């Protein structure tokens, strides 16, 4: 299982969410605001971006990466980045079940 975390321009969020919703077996995502303070943001001032987090099975990684990259790309500085991290364990807080996601 992997966690895919993407930082994208706010105006690209709807496109990215729609593309991710089309991927079969994707159970959901978390979207939050993120403040970009890097020179790569394309501005001298901090910029508010969107963070999209998705937990996926290993076989879904490429589909999710393609969906995000294709639908978040403007070709200009500040488009964002995508990061993939392995997930070692999951726990359902309500039931205590482990590794069911």
């Amino acid at each position: 299982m992997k966690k895919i975390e993407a930082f994208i321009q706010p105006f690209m969020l709807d496109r990215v969410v729609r593309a991710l919703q089309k991927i079969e077996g994707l159970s959901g995502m978390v979207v939050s605001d993120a403040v970009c303070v890097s020179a790569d943001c394309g501005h001298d001032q901090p910029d508010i971006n969107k963070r999209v987090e998705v937990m996926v099975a290993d076989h879904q990684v490429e589909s999710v990466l393609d969906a995000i990259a294709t639908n978040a790309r403007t070709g200009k500085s500040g488009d964002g980045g995508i990061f993939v991290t392995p997930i070692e364990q999951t726990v359902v807080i309500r039931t205590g079940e482990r590794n069911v996601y």
Side-chain angles (χ1 to χ4, degrees):
M1 177 168 261
K2 302 283 192 265
K3 174 183 174 183
I4 298 177
E5 187 173 15
F7 295 89
I8 64 171
Q9 294 287 347
F11 59 89
M12 301 303 275
L13 180 63
D14 288 340
R15 287 180 58 175
V16 169
V17 168
R18 281 194 306 270
L20 290 173
Q21 288 173 330
K22 292 178 184 176
I23 298 174
E24 188 172 334
L26 200 65
S27 60
M29 66 196 81
V30 174
V31 176
S32 57
D33 289 334
V35 179
C36 180
V37 293
S38 137
D40 291 338
C41 294
H43 306 287
D44 293 335
Q45 300 295 319
D47 199 14
I48 302 294
N49 286 342
K50 294 294 182 182
R51 176 192 335 222
V52 179
E53 298 173 86
V54 186
M55 308 317 160
V56 300
D58 291 344
H59 72 274
Q60 295 174 304
V61 170
E62 288 304 317
S63 296
V64 171
L65 290 175
D66 289 343
I68 295 171
T70 300
N71 289 282
R73 182 177 297 122
T74 68
K76 298 178 183 172
S77 179
D79 273 353
I82 307 171
F83 305 89
V84 180
T85 309
I87 300 292
E88 291 185 25
Q89 288 191 50
T90 62
V91 179
V92 178
I93 295 173
R94 180 179 54 85
T95 64
E97 292 175 281
R98 293 179 180 266
N99 302 318
V100 295
Y101 291 106

